[in-house]
Amino acid sequence: MKLCRFETAPAQPRIGLTLDDKTLLDLTAAGIERLTPLLESDHLPKRLAVLAKSGLPSHRIDAVRLLAPVERQEVWAAGVTYLRSKKARMEESDFSATAYDKVYDAPRPEIFFKSLAEKVVATAEPVGIRRDAKWNVPEPELALVISSRGEVVGYTAGNDMSSRDIEGENLLYLPQAKVYDRSCALAPWIAVGVTEAQARKWTIGVQISRKGKVVFQGETSVGQIKRGFAELADWLCTSQLFPHGAVLLTGTGVVPGDDFTLHAHDTVRITVSGIGMLENPVTVV
Ligand code: DO4
Ligand code: MG
């Protein structure tokens, strides 16, 4: 079961539910106009199962515009949660190598602010590479959808776009390497009713194409994440309330080789099995 936000007419977001990846049941026709209160429901999968049987009108997915699945949720990101990410970052910077090494093993994870909801890029919209960066990569990541109570209520997929040269020059430049226009994209889908054990069996793939040719592809398994989902959500929600809920990217386990950088007009396609696809062209911002 997957939820989404979609439009059939400009600037009129609706809430959809898909059971088959082809059609959307229009939950807005049942009076559900916003995702946030729905995600706060006590027994969300049960409530959706009832709604799915209530004869709602439907739309073909290929006939609607899919939006990012956030309203007022802040997007945060965890880092260095996969061994691959730790190694790549230690290689990229002698200066900061110890910091990555330490945070991978420390009880407290690295968590940083990534995006306001209104700045999140939807599928098919361009993601950005900074005009003052020379080494840019996408980071394909599983994202936890967290309620205002700090509970993981669903999963989506995201792209934590990053400028590796800026991050590698000095770790204090991390916010500039990570947070700029079009640096955060989320897939349209929120998978609900999935346990952590099930999600850990999913794969995360990324394919980057340039002028019609694949120039990089890679895959990892969600099971490679070092930390538990509740552990990450608890750290995010310690001493901080999220009245509208939050989305937490869980870190990348796929890093292209050091000779690879994104170009303008490349296409980044991220696929998380169990969630679906996020595809964006690349532009310079
Ligand atoms: O420490 C830098 C950021 C790490 C990150 O974004 C990741 O591992 O995915
Ligand atoms: Mg990341």
PDB file of all heavy atoms in Angstrom, residues 37-69:
ATOM      1  N   PRO A  37      -2.402  14.798   8.482  1.00  0.00           N
ATOM      2  CA  PRO A  37      -3.290  14.173   9.482  1.00  0.00           C
ATOM      3  C   PRO A  37      -3.494  12.687   9.224  1.00  0.00           C
ATOM      4  O   PRO A  37      -3.620  11.901  10.179  1.00  0.00           O
ATOM      5  CB  PRO A  37      -4.620  14.931   9.332  1.00  0.00           C
ATOM      6  CG  PRO A  37      -4.416  16.005   8.324  1.00  0.00           C
ATOM      7  CD  PRO A  37      -3.064  15.855   7.721  1.00  0.00           C
ATOM      8  N   LEU A  38      -3.490  12.284   7.957  1.00  0.00           N
ATOM      9  CA  LEU A  38      -3.651  10.856   7.636  1.00  0.00           C
ATOM     10  C   LEU A  38      -2.484  10.049   8.229  1.00  0.00           C
ATOM     11  O   LEU A  38      -2.676   8.980   8.821  1.00  0.00           O
ATOM     12  CB  LEU A  38      -3.708  10.686   6.109  1.00  0.00           C
ATOM     13  CG  LEU A  38      -3.988   9.298   5.582  1.00  0.00           C
ATOM     14  CD1 LEU A  38      -5.358   8.806   6.048  1.00  0.00           C
ATOM     15  CD2 LEU A  38      -3.916   9.274   4.052  1.00  0.00           C
ATOM     16  N   LEU A  39      -1.270  10.599   8.101  1.00  0.00           N
ATOM     17  CA  LEU A  39      -0.087   9.905   8.616  1.00  0.00           C
ATOM     18  C   LEU A  39      -0.082   9.829  10.145  1.00  0.00           C
ATOM     19  O   LEU A  39       0.661   9.055  10.733  1.00  0.00           O
ATOM     20  CB  LEU A  39       1.200  10.589   8.120  1.00  0.00           C
ATOM     21  CG  LEU A  39       1.461  10.475   6.621  1.00  0.00           C
ATOM     22  CD1 LEU A  39       2.647  11.356   6.214  1.00  0.00           C
ATOM     23  CD2 LEU A  39       1.709   9.028   6.196  1.00  0.00           C
ATOM     24  N   GLU A  40      -0.917  10.641  10.779  1.00  0.00           N
ATOM     25  CA  GLU A  40      -1.028  10.624  12.244  1.00  0.00           C
ATOM     26  C   GLU A  40      -2.052   9.588  12.725  1.00  0.00           C
ATOM     27  O   GLU A  40      -2.229   9.398  13.928  1.00  0.00           O
ATOM     28  CB  GLU A  40      -1.457  12.009  12.754  1.00  0.00           C
ATOM     29  CG  GLU A  40      -0.441  13.121  12.489  1.00  0.00           C
ATOM     30  CD  GLU A  40       0.795  13.014  13.379  1.00  0.00           C
ATOM     31  OE1 GLU A  40       0.637  12.695  14.566  1.00  0.00           O
ATOM     32  OE2 GLU A  40       1.902  13.219  12.866  1.00  0.00           O
ATOM     33  N   SER A  41      -2.789   8.952  11.788  1.00  0.00           N
ATOM     34  CA  SER A  41      -3.843   7.998  12.163  1.00  0.00           C
ATOM     35  C   SER A  41      -3.290   6.887  13.057  1.00  0.00           C
ATOM     36  O   SER A  41      -2.187   6.383  12.822  1.00  0.00           O
ATOM     37  CB  SER A  41      -4.434   7.306  10.931  1.00  0.00           C
ATOM     38  OG  SER A  41      -4.882   8.241  10.011  1.00  0.00           O
ATOM     39  N   ASP A  42      -4.093   6.475  14.051  1.00  0.00           N
ATOM     40  CA  ASP A  42      -3.654   5.442  14.990  1.00  0.00           C
ATOM     41  C   ASP A  42      -3.361   4.098  14.321  1.00  0.00           C
ATOM     42  O   ASP A  42      -2.375   3.458  14.597  1.00  0.00           O
ATOM     43  CB  ASP A  42      -4.706   5.237  16.076  1.00  0.00           C
ATOM     44  CG  ASP A  42      -4.492   6.231  17.200  1.00  0.00           C
ATOM     45  OD1 ASP A  42      -3.356   6.738  17.306  1.00  0.00           O
ATOM     46  OD2 ASP A  42      -5.460   6.525  17.931  1.00  0.00           O
ATOM     47  N   HIS A  43      -4.267   3.674  13.424  1.00  0.00           N
ATOM     48  CA  HIS A  43      -4.061   2.377  12.758  1.00  0.00           C
ATOM     49  C   HIS A  43      -4.103   2.616  11.258  1.00  0.00           C
ATOM     50  O   HIS A  43      -5.067   2.248  10.577  1.00  0.00           O
ATOM     51  CB  HIS A  43      -5.139   1.380  13.194  1.00  0.00           C
ATOM     52  CG  HIS A  43      -5.172   1.164  14.673  1.00  0.00           C
ATOM     53  ND1 HIS A  43      -4.213   0.432  15.328  1.00  0.00           N
ATOM     54  CD2 HIS A  43      -6.013   1.629  15.631  1.00  0.00           C
ATOM     55  CE1 HIS A  43      -4.467   0.443  16.631  1.00  0.00           C
ATOM     56  NE2 HIS A  43      -5.557   1.159  16.833  1.00  0.00           N
ATOM     57  N   LEU A  44      -3.045   3.235  10.751  1.00  0.00           N
ATOM     58  CA  LEU A  44      -3.035   3.687   9.360  1.00  0.00           C
ATOM     59  C   LEU A  44      -3.274   2.567   8.339  1.00  0.00           C
ATOM     60  O   LEU A  44      -4.160   2.703   7.488  1.00  0.00           O
ATOM     61  CB  LEU A  44      -1.724   4.439   9.074  1.00  0.00           C
ATOM     62  CG  LEU A  44      -1.546   5.014   7.676  1.00  0.00           C
ATOM     63  CD1 LEU A  44      -2.664   5.988   7.321  1.00  0.00           C
ATOM     64  CD2 LEU A  44      -0.188   5.702   7.547  1.00  0.00           C
ATOM     65  N   PRO A  45      -2.543   1.443   8.410  1.00  0.00           N
ATOM     66  CA  PRO A  45      -2.772   0.402   7.395  1.00  0.00           C
ATOM     67  C   PRO A  45      -4.228  -0.099   7.399  1.00  0.00           C
ATOM     68  O   PRO A  45      -4.811  -0.288   6.338  1.00  0.00           O
ATOM     69  CB  PRO A  45      -1.791  -0.716   7.781  1.00  0.00           C
ATOM     70  CG  PRO A  45      -0.741  -0.033   8.593  1.00  0.00           C
ATOM     71  CD  PRO A  45      -1.439   1.082   9.311  1.00  0.00           C
ATOM     72  N   LYS A  46      -4.809  -0.242   8.620  1.00  0.00           N
ATOM     73  CA  LYS A  46      -6.211  -0.703   8.712  1.00  0.00           C
ATOM     74  C   LYS A  46      -7.137   0.331   8.102  1.00  0.00           C
ATOM     75  O   LYS A  46      -8.066  -0.003   7.367  1.00  0.00           O
ATOM     76  CB  LYS A  46      -6.605  -0.888  10.184  1.00  0.00           C
ATOM     77  CG  LYS A  46      -6.476  -2.297  10.655  1.00  0.00           C
ATOM     78  CD  LYS A  46      -7.189  -2.461  11.995  1.00  0.00           C
ATOM     79  CE  LYS A  46      -6.689  -3.737  12.656  1.00  0.00           C
ATOM     80  NZ  LYS A  46      -6.845  -3.709  14.081  1.00  0.00           N
ATOM     81  N   ARG A  47      -6.879   1.600   8.420  1.00  0.00           N
ATOM     82  CA  ARG A  47      -7.736   2.676   7.899  1.00  0.00           C
ATOM     83  C   ARG A  47      -7.663   2.702   6.357  1.00  0.00           C
ATOM     84  O   ARG A  47      -8.683   2.862   5.677  1.00  0.00           O
ATOM     85  CB  ARG A  47      -7.265   4.019   8.476  1.00  0.00           C
ATOM     86  CG  ARG A  47      -8.185   5.130   8.087  1.00  0.00           C
ATOM     87  CD  ARG A  47      -7.927   6.396   8.873  1.00  0.00           C
ATOM     88  NE  ARG A  47      -8.753   7.454   8.293  1.00  0.00           N
ATOM     89  CZ  ARG A  47      -8.494   8.732   8.354  1.00  0.00           C
ATOM     90  NH1 ARG A  47      -7.424   9.158   9.000  1.00  0.00           N
ATOM     91  NH2 ARG A  47      -9.293   9.609   7.786  1.00  0.00           N
ATOM     92  N   LEU A  48      -6.472   2.500   5.821  1.00  0.00           N
ATOM     93  CA  LEU A  48      -6.313   2.519   4.359  1.00  0.00           C
ATOM     94  C   LEU A  48      -6.998   1.303   3.728  1.00  0.00           C
ATOM     95  O   LEU A  48      -7.587   1.414   2.648  1.00  0.00           O
ATOM     96  CB  LEU A  48      -4.832   2.571   3.973  1.00  0.00           C
ATOM     97  CG  LEU A  48      -4.094   3.857   4.392  1.00  0.00           C
ATOM     98  CD1 LEU A  48      -2.635   3.792   3.995  1.00  0.00           C
ATOM     99  CD2 LEU A  48      -4.751   5.098   3.786  1.00  0.00           C
ATOM    100  N   ALA A  49      -6.928   0.178   4.427  1.00  0.00           N
ATOM    101  CA  ALA A  49      -7.579  -1.032   3.892  1.00  0.00           C
ATOM    102  C   ALA A  49      -9.090  -0.808   3.794  1.00  0.00           C
ATOM    103  O   ALA A  49      -9.731  -1.230   2.818  1.00  0.00           O
ATOM    104  CB  ALA A  49      -7.254  -2.233   4.777  1.00  0.00           C
ATOM    105  N   VAL A  50      -9.665  -0.138   4.785  1.00  0.00           N
ATOM    106  CA  VAL A  50     -11.112   0.160   4.748  1.00  0.00           C
ATOM    107  C   VAL A  50     -11.407   1.122   3.600  1.00  0.00           C
ATOM    108  O   VAL A  50     -12.324   0.909   2.800  1.00  0.00           O
ATOM    109  CB  VAL A  50     -11.587   0.742   6.117  1.00  0.00           C
ATOM    110  CG1 VAL A  50     -13.020   1.232   6.032  1.00  0.00           C
ATOM    111  CG2 VAL A  50     -11.427  -0.305   7.221  1.00  0.00           C
ATOM    112  N   LEU A  51     -10.592   2.185   3.492  1.00  0.00           N
ATOM    113  CA  LEU A  51     -10.804   3.171   2.425  1.00  0.00           C
ATOM    114  C   LEU A  51     -10.683   2.511   1.040  1.00  0.00           C
ATOM    115  O   LEU A  51     -11.427   2.846   0.107  1.00  0.00           O
ATOM    116  CB  LEU A  51      -9.788   4.310   2.536  1.00  0.00           C
ATOM    117  CG  LEU A  51     -10.073   5.337   3.639  1.00  0.00           C
ATOM    118  CD1 LEU A  51      -8.828   6.145   3.968  1.00  0.00           C
ATOM    119  CD2 LEU A  51     -11.222   6.261   3.215  1.00  0.00           C
ATOM    120  N   ALA A  52      -9.767   1.552   0.934  1.00  0.00           N
ATOM    121  CA  ALA A  52      -9.541   0.896  -0.368  1.00  0.00           C
ATOM    122  C   ALA A  52     -10.772   0.130  -0.838  1.00  0.00           C
ATOM    123  O   ALA A  52     -10.954  -0.103  -2.032  1.00  0.00           O
ATOM    124  CB  ALA A  52      -8.342  -0.046  -0.268  1.00  0.00           C
ATOM    125  N   LYS A  53     -11.636  -0.261   0.127  1.00  0.00           N
ATOM    126  CA  LYS A  53     -12.819  -1.051  -0.240  1.00  0.00           C
ATOM    127  C   LYS A  53     -14.074  -0.187  -0.305  1.00  0.00           C
ATOM    128  O   LYS A  53     -15.186  -0.701  -0.326  1.00  0.00           O
ATOM    129  CB  LYS A  53     -13.036  -2.155   0.799  1.00  0.00           C
ATOM    130  CG  LYS A  53     -12.001  -3.241   0.677  1.00  0.00           C
ATOM    131  CD  LYS A  53     -12.347  -4.410   1.573  1.00  0.00           C
ATOM    132  CE  LYS A  53     -11.200  -5.393   1.616  1.00  0.00           C
ATOM    133  NZ  LYS A  53     -10.934  -5.890   2.943  1.00  0.00           N
ATOM    134  N   SER A  54     -13.896   1.160  -0.291  1.00  0.00           N
ATOM    135  CA  SER A  54     -15.099   1.989  -0.175  1.00  0.00           C
ATOM    136  C   SER A  54     -15.561   2.599  -1.497  1.00  0.00           C
ATOM    137  O   SER A  54     -16.294   3.591  -1.497  1.00  0.00           O
ATOM    138  CB  SER A  54     -14.899   3.054   0.906  1.00  0.00           C
ATOM    139  OG  SER A  54     -13.832   3.890   0.542  1.00  0.00           O
ATOM    140  N   GLY A  55     -15.139   2.006  -2.603  1.00  0.00           N
ATOM    141  CA  GLY A  55     -15.653   2.412  -3.919  1.00  0.00           C
ATOM    142  C   GLY A  55     -15.258   3.823  -4.344  1.00  0.00           C
ATOM    143  O   GLY A  55     -16.047   4.522  -4.996  1.00  0.00           O
ATOM    144  N   LEU A  56     -14.033   4.223  -3.995  1.00  0.00           N
ATOM    145  CA  LEU A  56     -13.592   5.584  -4.358  1.00  0.00           C
ATOM    146  C   LEU A  56     -13.286   5.679  -5.852  1.00  0.00           C
ATOM    147  O   LEU A  56     -12.895   4.686  -6.478  1.00  0.00           O
ATOM    148  CB  LEU A  56     -12.320   5.931  -3.559  1.00  0.00           C
ATOM    149  CG  LEU A  56     -12.530   6.105  -2.061  1.00  0.00           C
ATOM    150  CD1 LEU A  56     -11.199   6.212  -1.339  1.00  0.00           C
ATOM    151  CD2 LEU A  56     -13.371   7.353  -1.808  1.00  0.00           C
ATOM    152  N   PRO A  57     -13.406   6.896  -6.421  1.00  0.00           N
ATOM    153  CA  PRO A  57     -13.018   7.056  -7.819  1.00  0.00           C
ATOM    154  C   PRO A  57     -11.511   6.825  -7.986  1.00  0.00           C
ATOM    155  O   PRO A  57     -10.756   6.984  -7.031  1.00  0.00           O
ATOM    156  CB  PRO A  57     -13.370   8.516  -8.141  1.00  0.00           C
ATOM    157  CG  PRO A  57     -13.578   9.189  -6.835  1.00  0.00           C
ATOM    158  CD  PRO A  57     -13.911   8.130  -5.820  1.00  0.00           C
ATOM    159  N   SER A  58     -11.090   6.448  -9.184  1.00  0.00           N
ATOM    160  CA  SER A  58      -9.662   6.185  -9.378  1.00  0.00           C
ATOM    161  C   SER A  58      -9.129   6.922 -10.601  1.00  0.00           C
ATOM    162  O   SER A  58      -9.897   7.386 -11.454  1.00  0.00           O
ATOM    163  CB  SER A  58      -9.410   4.687  -9.494  1.00  0.00           C
ATOM    164  OG  SER A  58     -10.037   4.196 -10.653  1.00  0.00           O
ATOM    165  N   HIS A  59      -7.811   7.052 -10.648  1.00  0.00           N
ATOM    166  CA  HIS A  59      -7.128   7.691 -11.778  1.00  0.00           C
ATOM    167  C   HIS A  59      -6.010   6.760 -12.224  1.00  0.00           C
ATOM    168  O   HIS A  59      -5.390   6.093 -11.380  1.00  0.00           O
ATOM    169  CB  HIS A  59      -6.462   9.010 -11.347  1.00  0.00           C
ATOM    170  CG  HIS A  59      -7.392   9.986 -10.704  1.00  0.00           C
ATOM    171  ND1 HIS A  59      -8.054  10.964 -11.403  1.00  0.00           N
ATOM    172  CD2 HIS A  59      -7.755  10.140  -9.396  1.00  0.00           C
ATOM    173  CE1 HIS A  59      -8.780  11.688 -10.563  1.00  0.00           C
ATOM    174  NE2 HIS A  59      -8.628  11.198  -9.349  1.00  0.00           N
ATOM    175  N   ARG A  60      -5.709   6.782 -13.502  1.00  0.00           N
ATOM    176  CA  ARG A  60      -4.504   6.080 -13.960  1.00  0.00           C
ATOM    177  C   ARG A  60      -3.289   6.880 -13.512  1.00  0.00           C
ATOM    178  O   ARG A  60      -3.257   8.107 -13.679  1.00  0.00           O
ATOM    179  CB  ARG A  60      -4.515   5.968 -15.479  1.00  0.00           C
ATOM    180  CG  ARG A  60      -5.374   4.809 -15.968  1.00  0.00           C
ATOM    181  CD  ARG A  60      -5.372   4.724 -17.457  1.00  0.00           C
ATOM    182  NE  ARG A  60      -4.091   5.082 -18.041  1.00  0.00           N
ATOM    183  CZ  ARG A  60      -3.901   5.306 -19.334  1.00  0.00           C
ATOM    184  NH1 ARG A  60      -4.922   5.210 -20.171  1.00  0.00           N
ATOM    185  NH2 ARG A  60      -2.705   5.631 -19.815  1.00  0.00           N
ATOM    186  N   ILE A  61      -2.288   6.209 -12.967  1.00  0.00           N
ATOM    187  CA  ILE A  61      -1.115   6.938 -12.449  1.00  0.00           C
ATOM    188  C   ILE A  61      -0.433   7.720 -13.562  1.00  0.00           C
ATOM    189  O   ILE A  61       0.011   8.851 -13.356  1.00  0.00           O
ATOM    190  CB  ILE A  61      -0.136   5.952 -11.756  1.00  0.00           C
ATOM    191  CG1 ILE A  61      -0.774   5.455 -10.445  1.00  0.00           C
ATOM    192  CG2 ILE A  61       1.206   6.612 -11.472  1.00  0.00           C
ATOM    193  CD1 ILE A  61       0.009   4.423  -9.681  1.00  0.00           C
ATOM    194  N   ASP A  62      -0.394   7.150 -14.767  1.00  0.00           N
ATOM    195  CA  ASP A  62       0.295   7.872 -15.844  1.00  0.00           C
ATOM    196  C   ASP A  62      -0.498   9.070 -16.372  1.00  0.00           C
ATOM    197  O   ASP A  62      -0.028   9.800 -17.234  1.00  0.00           O
ATOM    198  CB  ASP A  62       0.716   6.919 -16.975  1.00  0.00           C
ATOM    199  CG  ASP A  62      -0.473   6.174 -17.573  1.00  0.00           C
ATOM    200  OD1 ASP A  62      -1.631   6.530 -17.262  1.00  0.00           O
ATOM    201  OD2 ASP A  62      -0.243   5.234 -18.353  1.00  0.00           O
ATOM    202  N   ALA A  63      -1.693   9.306 -15.802  1.00  0.00           N
ATOM    203  CA  ALA A  63      -2.495  10.450 -16.268  1.00  0.00           C
ATOM    204  C   ALA A  63      -2.503  11.601 -15.244  1.00  0.00           C
ATOM    205  O   ALA A  63      -3.187  12.601 -15.443  1.00  0.00           O
ATOM    206  CB  ALA A  63      -3.927   9.988 -16.535  1.00  0.00           C
ATOM    207  N   VAL A  64      -1.748  11.468 -14.143  1.00  0.00           N
ATOM    208  CA  VAL A  64      -1.743  12.527 -13.127  1.00  0.00           C
ATOM    209  C   VAL A  64      -0.320  13.057 -12.956  1.00  0.00           C
ATOM    210  O   VAL A  64       0.640  12.434 -13.410  1.00  0.00           O
ATOM    211  CB  VAL A  64      -2.265  12.021 -11.754  1.00  0.00           C
ATOM    212  CG1 VAL A  64      -3.644  11.391 -11.889  1.00  0.00           C
ATOM    213  CG2 VAL A  64      -1.272  11.034 -11.111  1.00  0.00           C
ATOM    214  N   ARG A  65      -0.202  14.201 -12.285  1.00  0.00           N
ATOM    215  CA  ARG A  65       1.136  14.719 -11.944  1.00  0.00           C
ATOM    216  C   ARG A  65       1.444  14.327 -10.503  1.00  0.00           C
ATOM    217  O   ARG A  65       0.686  14.674  -9.582  1.00  0.00           O
ATOM    218  CB  ARG A  65       1.147  16.239 -12.102  1.00  0.00           C
ATOM    219  CG  ARG A  65       2.432  16.866 -11.695  1.00  0.00           C
ATOM    220  CD  ARG A  65       2.534  18.322 -12.154  1.00  0.00           C
ATOM    221  NE  ARG A  65       3.795  18.848 -11.717  1.00  0.00           N
ATOM    222  CZ  ARG A  65       3.949  19.843 -10.840  1.00  0.00           C
ATOM    223  NH1 ARG A  65       2.901  20.471 -10.367  1.00  0.00           N
ATOM    224  NH2 ARG A  65       5.152  20.231 -10.471  1.00  0.00           N
ATOM    225  N   LEU A  66       2.525  13.593 -10.325  1.00  0.00           N
ATOM    226  CA  LEU A  66       2.900  13.146  -8.977  1.00  0.00           C
ATOM    227  C   LEU A  66       3.749  14.214  -8.291  1.00  0.00           C
ATOM    228  O   LEU A  66       4.684  14.758  -8.896  1.00  0.00           O
ATOM    229  CB  LEU A  66       3.670  11.826  -9.063  1.00  0.00           C
ATOM    230  CG  LEU A  66       2.841  10.640  -9.581  1.00  0.00           C
ATOM    231  CD1 LEU A  66       3.741   9.458  -9.930  1.00  0.00           C
ATOM    232  CD2 LEU A  66       1.779  10.228  -8.556  1.00  0.00           C
ATOM    233  N   LEU A  67       3.415  14.511  -7.031  1.00  0.00           N
ATOM    234  CA  LEU A  67       4.105  15.555  -6.264  1.00  0.00           C
ATOM    235  C   LEU A  67       5.030  14.910  -5.233  1.00  0.00           C
ATOM    236  O   LEU A  67       4.957  13.707  -5.004  1.00  0.00           O
ATOM    237  CB  LEU A  67       3.077  16.427  -5.545  1.00  0.00           C
ATOM    238  CG  LEU A  67       1.971  17.039  -6.424  1.00  0.00           C
ATOM    239  CD1 LEU A  67       0.929  17.733  -5.550  1.00  0.00           C
ATOM    240  CD2 LEU A  67       2.560  18.018  -7.437  1.00  0.00           C
ATOM    241  N   ALA A  68       5.855  15.729  -4.601  1.00  0.00           N
ATOM    242  CA  ALA A  68       6.660  15.199  -3.486  1.00  0.00           C
ATOM    243  C   ALA A  68       5.710  14.920  -2.310  1.00  0.00           C
ATOM    244  O   ALA A  68       4.758  15.669  -2.085  1.00  0.00           O
ATOM    245  CB  ALA A  68       7.723  16.209  -3.084  1.00  0.00           C
ATOM    246  N   PRO A  69       5.978  13.860  -1.530  1.00  0.00           N
ATOM    247  CA  PRO A  69       5.013  13.433  -0.489  1.00  0.00           C
ATOM    248  C   PRO A  69       5.189  14.176   0.837  1.00  0.00           C
ATOM    249  O   PRO A  69       5.227  13.562   1.895  1.00  0.00           O
ATOM    250  CB  PRO A  69       5.332  11.946  -0.338  1.00  0.00           C
ATOM    251  CG  PRO A  69       6.794  11.879  -0.588  1.00  0.00           C
ATOM    252  CD  PRO A  69       7.128  12.940  -1.594  1.00  0.00           C
TER     253      PRO A  69
END
